[in-house]
Amino acid sequence: MKKNITNYKSLSLLVAFLCMLLASCTKEIPFDKNKEKPILIMNAVVDATQTSHDVFFALTDRNSPISVTGDISLTVSVNDKEIETITAPTEKNKITFSCVLKAGDKLRLQASDRQEHQVIAESIVPQEPKGVLTLRTEDYSWESNGNKKKGLKYFVDLDDPSEELTYYRLNSEIKMDKYLTSDGIKDEMNYPRWINTILIVDDVILSDGHPRSNPDSEDYDLMGTMDYDPNLMGIFNNKRFKNSACTLSYVISTDEMQSNNYYTGFDSAYGYSIDYAATVHVQRITAEAYKYFQLLNKLKSDNYSEMINEPIEVPSNVTGGTGFVTCINGISATNITTKPF
Amino acid sequence: MRNTTALSSLNEKILHFLFIGFILFVGLGIDVQSVQGSSVSSLEASRKFTVSGYIRDMATGETLIGATIYVENLKVGAVTNAYGYFSLTLPEGDTTLRISYVGCMTKEVTIQLNKNITLSQSLESGQELDEVIITSTRTETGITATQMGAQSIPMQQIKSTPNILGEADVMKTIQLVAGVQSGSDGSANLHVRGGAPDQNLILLDGTPIYKVDHAMGLFSIFPPEAVKSVTFFKSSFPARFGGRLSSVVDVRTNDGNMKEYHGLFSVGLLSSKINIEGPIIKDRTSFNINFRRTYADLLAKPFMKGKDTQLGYYFYDLNAKFNHRFSDINRLFLSVYHGRDVFDSEINEEEDEGYGDTEKSTNSGHMNWGNTVVTGRWNYLISPKLFSNATVAYNRYKCNIDAYANINYYRDGAIDKQYVHSLYNSGIYDWSAKWDFEYMPSPTNNIKFGFEYLYHTYEPEVNGSSTLFETGGETTTTKSDEDTDNSRIYAHEMMLYAEDDIKVTDHWQLNLGIHASMFEVSNKTYHSVQPRISTRYQLDENWVAKGSYTIMSQYVHLLSSSLLAMPTDLWAPVTEKIKPMKSFQYGVGLYYTGVDGWEFSLESYYKTMTNVLAYKPGAGFLGSSENWEDKVVMGDGRSMGLEVTARKTQGSNTGWINYTLAKSDRRSGDNSINNGNWYPYRYDIRHNFNVALTHKFNDRWDVGASWNFMTGGAVTIGVQQTQIITPNYPYDYYNSDTSSTYAKVDEWHVEEASHINKRNNYRIPSSHGLNLSVNYHKKKKHGESVWNFSIYNVYNAMNPAYVYIDESSTNDGQMNRVIKKTTILPFIPSVTYTYKF
């Protein structure tokens, strides 16, 4: 890692040195008011396994998106049939609607504000994965800078054979509960301790062909950037397992979870154990959403800088404004593992 | 979608055939009556003999490229080729040849032609840029040429055109030609008719050069003192050229004085140069050596003494050429170019980490990059009508970066040491062999044919590193050196070509050519057959019309960080996935020579390109070639334009004024960019206006001026802010509803992001600038001294080199975003002293 930073410094210094020699100077260009009229933003990810759904609204602006003034009117239609129209103030820039959706339904959201901004977006609810989803785990350890680290490796067996190119999103959450091993009484928690940082290591599907040997191994190039974007959104497709089942895997660092939650060595001395209650969601997403999440992977990656990378145009499927509306549909599986400190 | 593409392809093919048909048959139809009784027919009647030879400069013995040999009564002529050779087959009898060349006194020679004659002549230098009547089908540039969009750039114009820090520059002068843009302010890049900088075939004595700039694009590698001629083609490319889509820059270096020793040395603010030439064996063997080095590193050194940061940058060029004339039949050339950019840095830092702990580090780096080109050529006259040139060349571009970090951690009285060394190499190596032939059977036919083979070795990127840790007396060493051989890519490229420049009638000329190429890389072979057709029709004494149709193919791509010409920019060959680029260019032009000493032209073009690469959203190429195919998307490009030029070619005032109206855009092959819709090319410059002038007051004083105005290109920036929807994962997220630090992952929220509705959505402001230079010449006892005073950007126009969004917080914590432009080349005066001896 150090080597890459050092090389990067050399190149940066070269640029800086030449600019210095040529006495560069910077000046502000006035914004063109005619080209920056605000437009309405509408965003929603509608999970067909839920009945309550949030739609987020705002207006684009030069400095930061601004709240919509006054009420917003949202009309929800399913399969071209109007379900409900909600007119509400947008204090939290959010309107919640209730609706039961099933695979193949066409959801249409139409919204307008008092300034006569009007936006429309449509999305089809994908099929949910057809087969069975199971979640297994085993102990996992690795070396990092001479230190041994502990973790859990989870295996997700997904049986969703499909001839067509199918897109998915995987997310996992792990809830920790601490209790005395001797009496089995769970520690009182002020708030739930959810951990959702999963490490994609040697899984070819989830890493899109970039498996790593070790959760801490970083394949950096000359400029100190990784050769690929980490799959922060957990998206994948069935290119590598068309018409068959597959097993996905990921790792969590139990050391990191414990230290992040202020569990100390004293807990071990008193004979505490921890329940790791892991839930995995595998959702089918649309091709449009896959592209959207791919670009979010880039946008949120440490690799990305607007100065040196080609800027990202985040896709919009909202007509009349901007934003992204999509439906997802998934299944879940749970695994609870108890580990002593 | 597929049907639409197929239909569009069919339409394109129909358009191609219609256009070729127009060029061939309309021209024939117009002139079919004028063939009878023409002087061309009369040439066929009697016995014919060939007069051939070399035209040289009387003072230096240098062969003259583009000298005209004209026979007034027959109204036929020839032009010397790139080696100063001509051949003219004429009817038997007494013939007067008028031999002329720009800057030389015109000479008339009468010969009795009753057998084949070898006639090598020397021309005396003239005081003025006298009128030269170029009336021959043989020339490839200018109004009299069959080709259009081809221009010989006078060396006097290059030397007189003012530039940054007084550095006269070949590429910067070409940027003032209609249809050419620099891209960003100060850059030596060429964007020709909507093409990218990697689409220019830049030849140094016939060998393609990969890196043609120094100082990240500010200066080109061609010092004018080493250059003999520059020819620029932007359409109707002669069939011998291939491998790039948009232009050809053919640079020929000085052969060296065959008569006497001469030289010059020059001292400027940026660099010093020395040029020495002379005979090794008089009239047989000569040499020319030119060396240039900058000294920014030496000037900056005193100011950095004792500072924690030490930086140094310089570049140098060495051009050397040797030639030996065995006879007028055999001649051998050896030319060498070697140029490097070198940058050194050292940064010493000390950081107090608290509790008495300290970290002391020294980061140092050494970067060097540049070309080495060795070219050997053999001219052999097979017969007076058949000239041949065989070339063998080695060409290397290499970039090396070595970086060192030496870190000492002082903790609790102990020292932990870390030493890191990393290296980066990339390069491209070519071996090439070619044989060109020129057959001149009659004044109405000039046939060129030949072949070329290139063996490419691409070394896209080799990284290596070693690390040493020393803690508590224990040492750990890690080393990772990648195998250089495994990262190399080998490719074979072959080309065959033939072309015939035909004077069909007194009024009508036709140039028909074909270029066939093959490229083999990683067991994948690509072929391409590229027709080249140009026609010229003399409407009357002053008016000329031309048309052309050209197909070009390109097998290499430059992976670059688009803004600056970085040393880490990489040339990568086509692959199984990335197909060769292809361009189809149509052009028509109208030319007028009715005003004494002036030439006027109006040219228009329409160019389509296929398999043009564009970077996918978010892609970055700074130093990384791995999986580059996944970072780009192939697509189409199109550009169209209208170019108006007025050139003054005679007298004490020379130069040109031109205006270009152009449009260039791109479309990705899939929906990854702008949903597959057309979007403006980054260097889509709508209006471009150039003036390049020189004026000679007398033998002592001359001035040069250039003025340029161009509208801004297009860049992608988020002028406004929007919201994007994203899962809470994986960032720590404070959920105010549950007061939890970590939220469940199946919750969604919105975040702020730049609102970019399409690629290249923002037009950067227009640029303009005036540059001036004044030369004062003074004769000395043993030579001549020249003082050059020049000012770059006279009225200090704040032209944008690039624009960006600057974000800052106001006192009340609000975000404040503004668009800023950075100007890197303000008002820059300079002075240069040159002594010629």
Side-chain angles (χ1 to χ4, degrees):
Chain A
M1 177 62 191
K2 191 73 193 177
K3 68 170 177 124
N4 306 302
I5 290 172
T6 312
N7 275 335
Y8 180 77
K9 270 187 181 173
S10 299
L11 280 173
S12 308
L13 283 170
L14 173 62
V15 176
F17 182 64
L18 286 169
C19 290
M20 187 180 75
L21 280 179
L22 296 163
S24 65
C25 57
T26 300
K27 209 173 177 182
E28 190 178 325
I29 303 171
F31 275 93
D32 186 343
K33 296 275 180 198
N34 296 321
K35 289 181 182 171
E36 55 164 328
K37 288 178 182 163
I39 55 172
L40 188 57
I41 311 162
M42 178 168 71
N43 279 301
V45 174
V46 177
D47 188 344
T49 62
Q50 311 284 322
T51 54
S52 176
H53 313 285
D54 294 335
V55 186
F56 298 89
F57 293 99
L59 290 167
T60 59
D61 187 63
R62 184 211 298 181
N63 290 322
S64 195
I66 52 171
S67 302
V68 178
T69 315
D71 294 346
I72 277 219
S73 173
L74 172 70
T75 302
V76 181
S77 306
V78 176
N79 298 327
D80 300 324
K81 192 178 164 189
E82 194 176 312
I83 300 293
E84 66 174 318
T85 297
I86 306 165
T87 303
T90 54
E91 288 157 0
K92 288 189 172 180
N93 294 319
K94 186 168 84 174
I95 291 178
T96 304
F97 70 92
S98 297
C99 175
V100 177
L101 292 163
K102 60 181 188 305
D105 283 348
K106 183 172 84 175
L107 174 73
R108 177 188 164 99
L109 302 180
Q110 185 169 351
S112 60
D113 68 354
R114 283 185 180 172
Q115 279 74 44
E116 294 176 354
H117 295 107
Q118 189 167 342
V119 290
I120 301 168
E122 289 182 350
S123 179
I124 306 283
V125 179
Q127 292 288 334
E128 66 182 30
K130 291 174 227 162
V132 184
L133 185 75
T134 58
L135 185 62
R136 302 174 278 125
T137 189
E138 64 182 35
D139 289 341
Y140 185 81
S141 63
W142 69 98
E143 290 266 336
S144 176
N145 288 333
N147 300 318
K148 194 157 187 171
K149 284 189 153 186
K150 283 188 296 178
L152 290 169
K153 185 169 185 178
Y154 285 93
F155 298 91
V156 182
D157 300 311
L158 172 66
D159 186 15
D160 183 28
S162 172
E163 267 293 332
E164 293 168 1
L165 187 57
T166 313
Y167 302 96
Y168 301 91
R169 176 171 173 267
L170 176 146
N171 60 62
S172 178
E173 63 213 25
I174 297 167
K175 189 183 171 209
M176 293 168 64
D177 278 315
K178 184 178 73 170
Y179 62 94
L180 271 171
T181 313
S182 55
D183 60 13
I185 299 167
K186 303 276 168 82
D187 189 23
E188 282 188 13
M189 311 289 282
N190 291 327
Y191 48 81
R193 294 178 187 274
W194 298 96
I195 296 296
N196 40 39
T197 302
I198 63 168
L199 304 166
I200 295 167
V201 185
D202 55 359
D203 190 290
V204 177
I205 296 167
L206 282 175
S207 66
D208 197 19
H210 298 287
R212 290 185 287 164
S213 56
N214 180 320
D216 289 333
S217 70
E218 293 165 323
D219 301 321
Y220 289 94
D221 63 14
L222 169 78
M223 305 309 297
T225 57
M226 291 179 75
D227 287 334
Y228 53 89
D229 301 306
N231 188 2
L232 303 174
M233 297 293 130
I235 51 169
F236 61 100
N237 58 40
N238 68 340
K239 267 184 190 166
R240 291 181 173 87
F241 61 96
K242 255 189 181 174
N243 217 13
S244 64
C246 75
T247 298
L248 309 163
S249 69
Y250 57 88
V251 170
I252 58 145
S253 166
T254 50
D255 286 345
E256 198 176 323
M257 286 168 70
Q258 288 168 18
S259 85
N260 283 349
N261 286 280
Y262 315 110
Y263 290 0
T264 65
F266 294 114
D267 298 316
S268 176
Y270 284 104
Y272 275 93
S273 292
I274 299 176
D275 272 355
Y276 295 96
T279 304
V280 68
H281 307 272
V282 175
Q283 297 153 340
R284 275 222 197 170
I285 58 175
T286 62
E288 199 178 33
Y290 183 80
K291 186 180 164 190
Y292 178 83
F293 291 128
Q294 256 188 330
L295 287 169
L296 287 199
N297 271 341
K298 280 191 183 301
L299 197 68
K300 289 172 174 290
S301 159
D302 291 341
N303 288 347
Y304 179 70
S305 155
E306 266 189 31
M307 284 299 283
I308 57 171
N309 292 71
E310 194 63 50
I312 293 174
E313 310 119 51
V314 178
S316 165
N317 62 356
V318 174
T319 310
T322 188
F324 193 72
V325 172
T326 191
C327 295
I328 58 174
N329 199 359
I331 52 177
S332 306
T334 304
N335 175 292
I336 300 174
T337 302
T338 305
K339 293 286 168 194
F341 265 104
Chain B
M1 180 68 186
R2 184 173 291 175
N3 287 341
T4 315
T5 312
L7 196 63
S8 133
S9 169
L10 184 66
N11 285 338
E12 205 165 68
K13 279 178 185 161
I14 293 168
L15 193 61
H16 291 179
F17 283 117
L18 285 175
F19 195 80
I20 294 166
F22 167 79
I23 288 174
L24 287 172
F25 299 112
V26 174
L28 272 172
I30 288 169
D31 215 72
V32 82
Q33 291 176 331
S34 64
V35 174
Q36 283 190 340
S38 71
S39 57
V40 178
S41 307
S42 67
L43 285 174
E44 311 296 328
S46 57
R47 283 206 306 162
K48 284 178 280 185
F49 297 98
T50 300
V51 53
S52 62
Y54 292 87
I55 305 299
R56 298 190 176 91
D57 184 303
M58 188 175 282
T60 65
E62 282 260 2
T63 53
L64 299 175
I65 301 170
T68 304
I69 301 91
Y70 187 62
V71 183
E72 181 72 49
N73 61 323
L74 297 176
K75 299 208 174 334
V76 294
V79 171
T80 53
N81 65 14
Y83 305 94
Y85 182 76
F86 78 96
S87 173
L88 198 52
T89 300
L90 302 167
E92 184 179 17
D94 289 351
T95 303
T96 300
L97 306 176
R98 193 167 74 196
I99 305 164
S100 53
Y101 183 74
V102 175
C104 290
M105 309 291 274
T106 299
K107 186 175 185 179
E108 289 199 350
V109 180
T110 302
I111 52 170
Q112 194 176 30
L113 200 59
N114 51 17
K115 59 178 180 181
N116 289 342
I117 292 175
T118 303
L119 182 84
S120 291
Q121 289 290 312
S122 297
L123 297 184
E124 196 179 341
S125 294
Q127 295 300 307
E128 300 284 337
L129 292 173
D130 293 331
E131 180 183 5
V132 174
I133 300 167
I134 301 169
T135 311
S136 166
T137 62
R138 300 274 175 80
T139 181
E140 286 184 327
T141 60
I143 290 174
T144 50
T146 313
Q147 279 93 347
M148 57 185 297
Q151 195 167 326
S152 177
I153 314 288
M155 285 313 297
Q156 187 55 43
Q157 187 72 51
I158 293 169
K159 287 174 184 170
S160 305
T161 302
N163 201 4
I164 309 163
L165 296 168
E167 287 290 311
D169 196 298
V170 170
M171 305 304 266
K172 296 287 177 71
T173 310
I174 293 175
Q175 285 174 355
L176 296 168
V177 172
V180 185
Q181 284 105 31
S182 63
S184 56
D185 191 34
S187 164
N189 278 339
L190 300 181
H191 297 265
V192 183
R193 291 187 166 178
D198 66 346
Q199 294 174 359
N200 305 311
L201 179 67
I202 296 165
L203 301 163
L204 181 64
D205 284 332
T207 305
I209 302 290
Y210 290 99
K211 186 83 176 165
V212 293
D213 54 72
H214 289 299
M216 303 173 87
L218 288 176
F219 305 99
S220 80
I221 62 165
F222 307 112
E225 293 78 9
V227 176
K228 180 178 181 175
S229 75
V230 178
T231 315
F232 175 64
F233 301 87
K234 58 186 173 185
S235 69
S236 60
F237 304 102
R240 66 179 180 277
F241 298 122
R244 301 288 188 278
L245 298 192
S246 290
S247 81
V248 177
V249 180
D250 190 8
V251 179
R252 302 275 162 172
T253 56
N254 283 325
D255 296 335
N257 196 318
M258 283 278 191
K259 311 271 185 200
E260 299 171 325
Y261 289 97
H262 283 286
L264 69 82
F265 68 83
S266 174
V267 183
L269 293 183
L270 177 77
S271 71
S272 281
K273 292 173 233 173
I274 184 161
N275 190 91
I276 297 172
E277 61 177 335
I280 297 170
I281 303 168
K282 199 172 180 185
D283 291 328
R284 285 277 173 201
T285 312
S286 69
F287 71 93
N288 186 303
I289 296 173
N290 186 284
F291 181 74
R292 166 174 71 164
R293 190 200 190 276
T294 62
Y295 27 66
D297 56 327
L298 305 174
L299 295 175
K301 222 170 197 170
F303 300 100
M304 293 184 181
K305 205 173 181 180
K307 298 269 170 67
D308 289 335
T309 301
Q310 303 282 321
L311 303 171
Y313 169 78
Y314 66 93
F315 66 78
Y316 64 86
D317 294 301
L318 172 69
N319 278 281
K321 192 167 180 181
F322 303 89
N323 81 93
H324 178 72
R325 199 168 74 216
F326 295 96
S327 66
D328 273 351
I329 291 174
N330 275 299
R331 191 169 186 184
L332 209 56
F333 299 84
L334 176 71
S335 50
V336 178
Y337 169 83
H338 178 71
R340 299 306 265 177
D341 285 56
V342 180
F343 176 68
D344 289 299
S345 66
E346 186 179 303
I347 302 169
N348 294 294
E349 290 172 316
E350 187 171 335
E351 199 175 327
D352 185 357
E353 296 190 321
Y355 306 107
D357 294 350
T358 311
E359 180 186 317
K360 285 184 183 175
S361 64
T362 301
N363 280 286
S364 56
H366 176 79
M367 302 169 62
N368 72 91
W369 65 97
N371 300 287
T372 302
V373 183
V374 182
T375 308
R377 284 176 297 144
W378 172 45
N379 286 178
Y380 180 66
L381 204 58
I382 298 166
S383 80
K385 292 181 185 178
L386 183 59
F387 180 88
S388 77
N389 175 59
T391 308
V392 179
Y394 171 72
N395 179 11
R396 182 187 81 171
Y397 169 71
K398 203 162 170 54
C399 170
N400 301 105
I401 303 176
D402 277 287
Y404 306 88
N406 198 346
I407 308 162
N408 291 335
Y409 305 96
Y410 298 87
R411 287 177 187 144
D412 304 327
I415 306 174
D416 292 347
K417 290 182 178 176
Q418 187 184 4
Y419 178 78
V420 183
H421 170 224
S422 65
L423 60 92
Y424 166 90
N425 295 323
S426 75
I428 176 167
Y429 313 88
D430 284 355
W431 282 99
S432 64
K434 68 175 171 178
W435 206 345
D436 302 298
F437 299 89
E438 188 173 354
Y439 179 57
M440 297 154 268
S442 72
T444 55
N445 266 72
N446 189 18
I447 298 165
K448 289 175 181 151
F449 57 97
F451 60 88
E452 183 172 10
Y453 167 78
L454 290 105
Y455 179 64
H456 303 280
T457 305
Y458 300 92
E459 191 179 283
E461 201 175 74
V462 178
N463 276 308
S465 71
S466 60
T467 311
L468 186 146
F469 290 103
E470 196 180 304
T471 310
E474 284 187 23
T475 304
T476 317
T477 308
T478 57
K479 194 171 183 182
S480 72
D481 283 318
E482 288 185 24
D483 186 355
T484 307
D485 289 338
N486 286 343
S487 64
R488 284 183 171 175
I489 303 165
Y490 303 94
H492 304 270
E493 187 174 3
M494 282 181 72
M495 300 173 206
L496 284 170
Y497 72 89
E499 69 171 274
D500 190 3
D501 201 277
I502 312 157
K503 187 169 182 179
V504 183
T505 72
D506 275 353
H507 295 275
W508 185 36
Q509 293 163 212
L510 195 59
N511 187 293
L512 298 174
I514 190 98
H515 180 102
S517 63
M518 185 277 287
F519 194 88
E520 196 259 318
V521 61
S522 306
N523 298 321
K524 176 75 185 168
T525 307
Y526 291 102
H527 306 273
S528 170
V529 176
Q530 304 151 37
R532 316 277 172 84
I533 301 164
S534 309
T535 187
R536 175 187 187 274
Y537 189 79
Q538 185 87 38
L539 297 166
D540 65 22
E541 194 185 341
N542 298 322
W543 288 92
V544 170
K546 291 186 189 184
S548 72
Y549 172 68
T550 309
I551 295 180
M552 298 291 274
S553 202
Q554 180 166 338
Y555 300 103
V556 286
H557 301 277
L558 182 67
L559 309 179
S560 72
S561 54
S562 67
L563 271 180
L564 299 165
M566 297 286 284
T568 48
D569 292 351
L570 300 169
W571 285 91
V574 290
T575 63
E576 195 166 354
K577 192 174 167 185
I578 302 296
K579 305 279 185 290
M581 291 192 277
K582 220 165 185 185
S583 75
F584 307 85
Q585 188 173 173
Y586 313 84
V588 287
L590 196 60
Y591 308 83
Y592 180 70
T593 52
V595 181
D596 226 19
W598 285 84
E599 292 176 351
F600 299 90
S601 69
L602 173 70
E603 289 188 352
S604 71
Y605 64 91
Y606 179 72
K607 182 162 75 172
T608 58
M609 293 172 273
T610 58
N611 301 330
V612 179
L613 297 188
Y615 302 147
K616 285 181 180 173
F621 275 96
L622 221 54
S624 174
S625 66
E626 197 170 332
N627 304 321
W628 68 270
E629 293 164 279
D630 298 331
K631 297 176 182 176
V632 294
V633 57
M634 286 191 294
D636 300 326
R638 62 180 183 189
S639 54
M640 59 206 84
L642 194 69
E643 297 162 1
V644 187
T645 303
R647 273 171 76 102
K648 177 88 165 45
T649 55
Q650 301 167 26
S652 55
N653 291 306
T654 55
W656 61 74
I657 300 171
N658 62 52
Y659 166 73
T660 305
L661 172 68
K663 179 177 165 60
S664 179
D665 45 20
R666 299 284 188 268
R667 180 175 63 181
S668 67
D670 56 18
N671 290 336
S672 59
I673 303 172
N674 204 27
N675 283 325
N677 298 315
W678 288 103
Y679 61 90
Y681 177 51
R682 184 186 160 85
Y683 300 102
D684 172 34
I685 309 291
R686 189 74 68 248
H687 306 279
N688 191 7
F689 188 78
N690 293 307
V691 181
L693 296 173
T694 60
H695 176 75
K696 190 169 179 180
F697 291 101
N698 50 46
D699 285 349
R700 289 200 162 191
W701 292 94
D702 64 74
V703 293
S706 67
W707 187 75
N708 165 266
F709 168 85
M710 64 176 180
T711 51
V715 293
T716 313
I717 55 172
V719 178
Q720 289 191 303
Q721 290 293 92
T722 186
Q723 285 180 343
I724 54 169
I725 189 157
T726 175
N728 297 335
Y729 171 88
Y731 297 102
D732 295 350
Y733 172 67
Y734 181 76
N735 187 328
S736 56
D737 294 340
T738 60
S739 300
S740 62
T741 306
Y742 297 93
K744 289 185 69 173
V745 290
D746 54 350
E747 289 178 352
W748 298 83
H749 70 282
V750 284
E751 287 178 8
E752 198 173 315
S754 293
H755 176 55
I756 298 167
N757 57 349
K758 68 171 190 176
R759 174 71 60 94
N760 295 340
N761 60 334
Y762 182 80
R763 285 278 168 189
I764 60 175
S766 301
S767 300
H768 51 90
L770 173 69
N771 309 319
L772 285 176
S773 77
V774 178
N775 289 310
Y776 173 68
H777 305 258
K778 192 174 182 186
K779 294 277 181 214
K780 300 273 185 178
K781 192 177 175 186
H782 298 292
E784 182 189 5
S785 68
V786 183
W787 283 97
N788 171 277
F789 306 92
S790 74
I791 303 173
Y792 184 85
N793 197 355
V794 172
Y795 54 85
N796 198 27
M798 292 284 113
N799 294 323
Y802 58 91
V803 297
Y804 63 98
I805 293 279
D806 184 59
E807 294 183 345
S808 58
S809 294
T810 57
N811 290 337
D812 55 356
Q814 297 295 307
M815 179 64 76
N816 185 39
R817 298 172 78 249
V818 292
I819 305 177
K820 285 192 171 174
K821 62 174 181 180
T822 297
T823 303
I824 58 167
L825 297 168
F827 174 86
I828 305 174
S830 67
V831 59
T832 306
Y833 176 77
T834 304
Y835 186 77
K836 298 176 185 174
F837 54 91

